[in-house]
Amino acid sequence: NANTRIPGADFTFEFIELTGQSRTARHPRLQDPGASVLVLNVRDADAALAAVTKAGAKVITLGGAPIALRPQSKTRAVFVTDPDGFYVELLQLDPAPPTSAPSSSMVIGARWGTVVEDAEKSANFYRDHFGMESKSAGEFKDPNLLRLAGLDTGELRIHTIQVAGRNEVWEFFEFAGVDRKPVHFNVPDPGSLQLGFQVRDVDAAAEAYKSAGGVIVSKDGAIMRRPNGAVALMRDPDGVYLEVATPPKQ
């Protein structure tokens, strides 16, 4: 594995490669439940797009360039896939949000998104069982938002949760009125998304997941006990993998 920090973001981005076992690279379309999205807030969408395409990214947005998302505003965005097939949204907000990123950084913040069957149901899963705040960002038939996602028809619904103890939100995207097929990842598969959360009590978190329809996928369905805390890998009802762990002892 390898870790990196995204400028202006309050989480660590970890790349994991699992070898010595069966694995299948899966490539969902952006509208397919199971796809994941990394949203990067950037200072200049055009400059960011030029940099990532030079490095091998492929543009998904219709027209191949950033699209204005608000009338009479400089807020613009474009979707690409990175060389591993992950979807990345390059988002230039106007006005630019406050950031802790250095002035030399093109990226000034980030958040995660997952594409699901039912955005409201997915957000409410975490609201009802883990106390996270859930809210709707709206239903959109805006042609520009659909073009952003590489579509010329359909509808997009977005719900979000506020992750407890963090500034980031987790976005759930639901596409409707367009062909979509759920894609299910196994843990070793390239393209599989895992999110990590620190919890006060791993056992309580595991029971909450199981009672709500999630499962523990760690070996033998067991919580791993370590000298510096406990950890378990779980899969929520949407198939998203979550590693929950108690903070390391200081």
Side-chain angles (χ1 to χ4, degrees):
N1 69 335
N3 295 319
T4 187
R5 295 301 299 267
I6 301 175
D10 193 22
F11 59 87
T12 299
F13 191 11
E14 183 176 22
F15 300 88
I16 302 172
E17 175 190 0
L18 297 171
T19 59
Q21 54 193 301
S22 175
R23 57 181 187 162
T24 302
R26 305 181 192 276
H27 301 286
R29 297 167 298 177
L30 183 54
Q31 70 265 29
D32 291 334
S36 58
V37 176
L38 174 63
V39 182
L40 294 178
N41 293 337
V42 298
R43 299 185 191 275
D44 185 322
D46 294 298
L49 178 61
V52 298
T53 52
K54 184 177 180 181
K58 296 181 180 179
V59 182
I60 299 300
T61 298
L62 299 184
I67 290 177
L69 299 186
R70 299 174 186 170
Q72 301 178 339
S73 170
K74 294 181 181 179
T75 293
R76 302 160 67 241
V78 61
F79 263 106
V80 302
T81 59
D82 74 6
D84 288 309
F86 275 107
Y87 290 98
V88 181
E89 180 183 3
L90 305 174
L91 176 62
Q92 177 186 339
L93 292 169
D94 180 46
T99 181
S100 60
S103 59
S104 60
S105 174
M106 174 67 73
V107 177
I108 59 174
R111 64 181 183 274
W112 278 110
T114 50
V115 182
V116 296
E117 291 269 10
D118 186 320
E120 181 178 13
K121 181 178 179 181
S122 298
N124 289 348
F125 172 86
Y126 290 92
R127 179 199 67 188
D128 295 342
H129 300 285
F130 297 94
M132 298 184 186
E133 181 183 355
S134 168
K135 60 182 180 180
S136 171
E139 298 185 6
F140 306 100
K141 297 181 181 179
D142 186 334
N144 275 352
L145 284 177
L146 295 172
R147 288 179 59 225
L148 174 65
L151 301 170
D152 55 13
T153 187
E155 184 175 341
L156 172 62
R157 302 183 180 100
I158 303 175
H159 279 255
T160 67
I161 58 170
Q162 180 72 46
V163 180
R166 296 291 184 180
N167 294 322
E168 277 79 23
V169 297
W170 181 1
E171 293 184 311
F172 297 92
F173 302 101
E174 173 194 348
F175 290 90
V178 64
D179 179 62
R180 57 180 188 159
K181 295 180 176 64
V183 176
H184 302 286
F185 291 90
N186 296 317
V187 174
D189 292 340
S192 173
L193 171 67
Q194 298 179 26
L195 298 176
F197 289 103
Q198 291 187 346
V199 297
R200 301 182 191 279
D201 187 327
V202 171
D203 295 273
E207 287 304 314
Y209 267 99
K210 290 190 292 184
S211 66
V215 295
I216 299 178
V217 297
S218 299
K219 185 174 174 60
D220 300 323
I223 296 171
M224 308 294 291
R225 312 288 177 180
R226 306 178 297 186
N228 66 338
V231 62
L233 185 65
M234 305 179 185
R235 186 177 63 238
D236 76 5
D238 287 309
V240 177
Y241 292 103
L242 297 108
E243 180 185 287
V244 295
T246 51
K249 295 179 180 179
Q250 301 298 323

